[in-house]
Amino acid sequence: MDKIHKYRHELKYLCSEAHLAIIRNRLRGIMSFDRHAKNGEYTIRSMYFDSLDNRCFYENECGTDRREKFRIRIYNAEDSRISLECKRKERGKTFKTSCLLTKDDYAAVLNGGTIDRFDQKPPLLRKFSVLQRTELFRPAVIVEYDRTPYVYSIGNVRVTLDRNIRSSDDFEHFFEKNLPTRPILPEGQHLLEVKFDELLPDFIKEVLQLGDLQQTTFSKYYLCRKFSMGGIL
């Protein structure tokens, strides 16, 4: 069954290493680590797909309202949990649908092949399979980064510190531990993301206040595509 999340607010800030150190110390006493984070951190690796005419890239570039991006996501370069995700942006909020893939499903998606027992698969996988046939969706870029995730149950708040954002075009070695990557930001520059449903508690908002911290519309996918050797320059 597809996993569905409601529309959420998503705020992003470019940060220095010093910013992250301050925020990490402030959050330690008021928020908990995500239970999936070993030693408080995990590595996220996502393979993004785009149509033959790069529709997703251009919609992101133009800020098209109600747009979607499709990706396959794994954690710590492991194949024990492979997720297909669709992230929708609408009226300034985000909405994510996801479903788990078997290794056979993954191979079929990667190669644009036939998916076994198609009618029994989750709706998201069936939708994406149709896009592969009608709009020739194919792998476009791999985005990888190291995430320190904090959670707070009231308001479904997540504050994530994303460091060392990097990209790759080596789709064939998606599960390799030492995937060749290239950095997309200047050394020492990282990303802070704040996600919540309806209301961000004031005490968390105050903790995140730094005088020179400014909100941005930063997109990891878009910047990685621009810096990708096989993408659009």
Side-chain angles (χ1 to χ4, degrees):
M1 180 179 294
D2 289 0
K3 183 179 179 182
I4 300 177
H5 300 269
K6 64 190 297 185
Y7 277 97
R8 309 187 71 205
H9 297 274
E10 185 174 276
L11 311 178
K12 301 181 181 182
Y13 305 85
L14 285 174
C15 297
S16 66
E17 191 71 47
H19 282 143
L20 293 191
I22 293 171
I23 292 171
R24 188 183 298 114
N25 287 333
R26 291 179 177 179
L27 290 176
R28 192 169 296 163
I30 63 173
M31 298 184 72
S32 304
F33 282 125
D34 185 312
R35 62 186 177 85
H36 298 293
K38 298 177 181 178
N39 301 316
E41 183 179 282
Y42 47 68
T43 297
I44 291 178
R45 183 180 293 173
S46 299
M47 181 189 300
Y48 283 84
F49 291 74
D50 207 346
S51 62
L52 187 63
D53 61 357
N54 297 302
R55 174 171 60 81
C56 297
F57 175 85
Y58 287 118
E59 286 182 348
N60 198 302
E61 183 173 65
C62 297
T64 302
D65 194 25
R66 196 157 73 173
R67 60 184 184 270
E68 295 179 332
K69 290 181 291 192
F70 293 86
R71 66 194 180 202
I72 290 177
R73 173 164 287 187
I74 60 173
Y75 297 86
N76 300 319
E78 297 173 356
D79 62 3
S80 57
R81 182 183 178 87
I82 309 171
S83 299
L84 173 66
E85 299 181 349
C86 173
K87 188 172 183 180
R88 178 183 295 180
K89 184 88 168 183
E90 185 174 359
R91 290 177 291 181
K93 294 184 179 182
T94 60
F95 172 93
K96 186 173 74 173
T97 306
S98 65
C99 68
L100 295 178
L101 299 180
T102 66
K103 293 180 182 178
D104 288 341
D105 291 339
Y106 167 79
V109 167
L110 185 64
N111 299 311
T114 301
I115 296 174
D116 292 338
R117 300 192 302 276
F118 180 83
D119 292 342
Q120 302 176 31
K121 296 299 181 181
L124 179 61
L125 179 53
R126 298 202 304 268
K127 174 181 177 179
F128 184 73
S129 181
V130 170
L131 287 173
Q132 283 193 293
R133 288 172 170 76
T134 58
E135 298 191 43
L136 302 182
F137 266 61
R138 83 290 187 207
V141 73
I142 294 171
V143 178
E144 185 175 64
Y145 47 94
D146 306 312
R147 168 166 284 181
T148 303
Y150 294 89
V151 296
Y152 185 75
S153 59
I154 299 176
N156 192 21
V157 180
R158 285 180 63 86
V159 177
T160 56
L161 314 180
D162 295 342
R163 303 175 65 253
N164 308 315
I165 302 170
R166 50 206 185 265
S167 69
S168 177
D169 303 310
D170 193 354
F171 307 117
E172 293 184 4
H173 299 98
F174 186 57
F175 296 102
E176 292 291 332
K177 288 287 185 182
N178 298 314
L179 181 75
T181 60
R182 52 188 171 274
I184 65 162
L185 289 175
E187 185 175 358
Q189 194 171 62
H190 311 289
L191 187 68
L192 163 69
E193 293 190 357
V194 184
K195 302 173 185 177
F196 55 97
D197 288 349
E198 300 300 334
L199 182 67
L200 181 64
D202 287 339
F203 70 93
I204 295 179
K205 189 183 302 182
E206 291 173 4
V207 162
L208 299 174
Q209 291 299 316
L210 295 176
D212 55 348
L213 204 61
Q214 296 184 348
Q215 190 174 342
T216 178
T217 57
F218 186 94
S219 166
K220 300 185 190 80
Y221 161 76
Y222 177 75
L223 202 56
C224 285
R225 284 295 305 271
K226 290 201 70 171
F227 279 80
S228 171
M229 294 176 62
I232 300 171
L233 301 176

